[in-house]
Amino acid sequence: MSANNLPRHIAIIMDGNGRWARNLGMTRIRGHIRGVNSVRDITTECARKHLEQLTLYAFSKENWSRPRYEIGLLMRLLKRYLIKERPTIKDNNIRFTVIGQIEGLPEDVRKEIAINIEESKSNTGMILCLALNYGGRAEIVDAAKAIASDVAKGEMSLDEIDEDTFKHHMYTADMRDPDLLIRTGGDMRISNFLLWEISYAELWVTPVYWPDFKKEHLEEAIREYGSRERRYGGLIE
Ligand code: FPP
């Protein structure tokens, strides 16, 4: 496959932890714990493939509606992950970042996020972006509010607002849009993920549950991506 056909930014909806665990007669929690292994394996593999960015949907705004004990566990897992994965981030020259309403996360989690961002800010390899307390509609609303505020302050006129203005007010302002969106667990939906940014992303859904998602599945997705023609609404000569 030529370098042109390789995705530069992959985004993943990591779904199916609960079903993976249930099928094996375990609690949902075991599924999330195993899901963290897949996060580590896929992150390392993407960095090794010199991807520019990997964005992982780790906790959505909608996830707050889960039982309290599950939310508590996800937050503890996240904190442990942020601490434990520092060597992975360092050894793979990864720049760590986050998108979402981070202010809504527990303070101890925010503290670890800030450390990972600070410690990895000079790394020059792949960007690893975790979407946390993230919602695609909320992101668009936040952008609209920030733009409205600029207009109200007289810093921008209505006529100046265009798609670029929105792009620059998204959480992803300084990132390229995903080329490939992978969803594990088989459901054919977007679940409020990166609504603005995936306008032209190629979608690839696999029935494989996230804890079972391995290098070979990633490679299958990348191969399939390479065989597609991206036309962006135009025609190929
Ligand atoms: C969906 O499984 C997955 C999530 C709720 C978020 C992903 C979380 C992880 C991979 C573990 C923690 C991540 C980090 C980065 C520490 P589900 O529970 O919706 O599965 P189901 O659809 O089978 O119920």
Side-chain angles (χ1 to χ4, degrees):
M1 199 185 304
S2 81
N4 278 345
N5 283 343
L6 282 174
R8 291 163 66 182
H9 178 180
I10 297 181
I12 308 184
I13 301 175
M14 308 180 287
D15 199 18
N17 294 347
R19 281 166 287 166
W20 178 89
R22 196 183 55 210
N23 284 352
L24 294 169
M26 301 183 208
T27 60
R28 298 176 54 76
I29 308 308
R30 301 304 307 174
H32 295 315
I33 293 171
R34 281 296 288 266
V36 178
N37 292 347
S38 297
V39 169
R40 180 182 316 110
D41 294 350
I42 295 303
T43 299
T44 311
E45 191 53 33
C46 286
R48 220 183 50 78
K49 289 186 186 310
H50 302 295
L51 213 74
E52 283 178 30
Q53 181 165 340
L54 173 67
T55 300
L56 301 174
Y57 203 4
F59 194 84
S60 73
K61 275 176 75 80
E62 290 71 31
N63 286 152
W64 294 111
S65 66
R66 293 188 175 210
R68 269 173 67 127
Y69 75 88
E70 185 170 342
I71 294 172
L73 178 109
L74 281 168
M75 289 301 145
R76 281 199 301 282
L77 261 186
L78 178 58
K79 182 176 169 186
R80 198 164 74 193
Y81 161 86
L82 291 164
I83 298 169
K84 243 183 97 184
E85 293 313 306
R86 282 180 191 142
T88 311
I89 290 174
K90 186 164 181 274
D91 296 347
N92 289 283
N93 194 21
I94 290 169
R95 185 150 63 82
F96 178 85
T97 189
V98 288
I99 51 170
Q101 294 178 341
I102 302 307
E103 64 284 3
L105 294 171
E107 202 191 330
D108 57 336
V109 173
R110 278 186 282 145
K111 189 178 138 234
E112 304 305 336
I113 290 174
I115 294 174
N116 285 20
I117 293 175
E118 178 60 28
E119 284 187 352
S120 70
K121 70 174 189 223
S122 307
N123 291 351
T124 53
M126 184 183 82
I127 297 167
L128 169 63
C129 175
L130 289 195
L132 294 168
N133 195 19
Y134 175 88
R137 288 182 174 178
E139 180 181 24
I140 294 169
V141 170
D142 283 349
K145 279 187 186 160
I147 296 166
S149 155
D150 288 350
V151 172
K153 284 188 280 187
E155 288 168 8
M156 182 184 285
S157 76
L158 267 188
D159 290 341
E160 280 175 290
I161 301 173
D162 59 13
E163 289 186 13
D164 251 9
T165 319
F166 267 82
K167 161 84 194 155
H168 290 115
H169 285 82
M170 292 288 163
Y171 308 149
T172 54
D174 52 355
M175 302 171 186
R176 58 176 285 121
D177 288 344
D179 302 297
L180 171 62
L181 173 66
I182 295 175
R183 181 172 187 136
T184 62
D187 289 326
M188 300 277 182
R189 52 176 174 257
I190 299 300
S191 300
N192 204 16
F193 191 39
L194 300 175
L195 296 182
W196 176 272
E197 296 83 352
I198 58 161
S199 296
Y200 288 100
E202 294 295 325
L203 309 184
W204 190 80
V205 177
T206 173
V208 173
Y209 296 138
W210 178 248
D212 282 334
F213 190 82
K214 300 282 166 242
K215 177 177 174 234
E216 61 264 27
H217 304 112
L218 177 72
E219 281 171 353
E220 193 186 335
I222 293 176
R223 252 196 323 277
E224 161 82 22
Y225 171 88
S227 71
R228 296 201 194 162
E229 233 176 39
R230 301 185 80 192
R231 293 188 294 275
Y232 302 95
L235 297 173
I236 299 286
E237 298 281 295

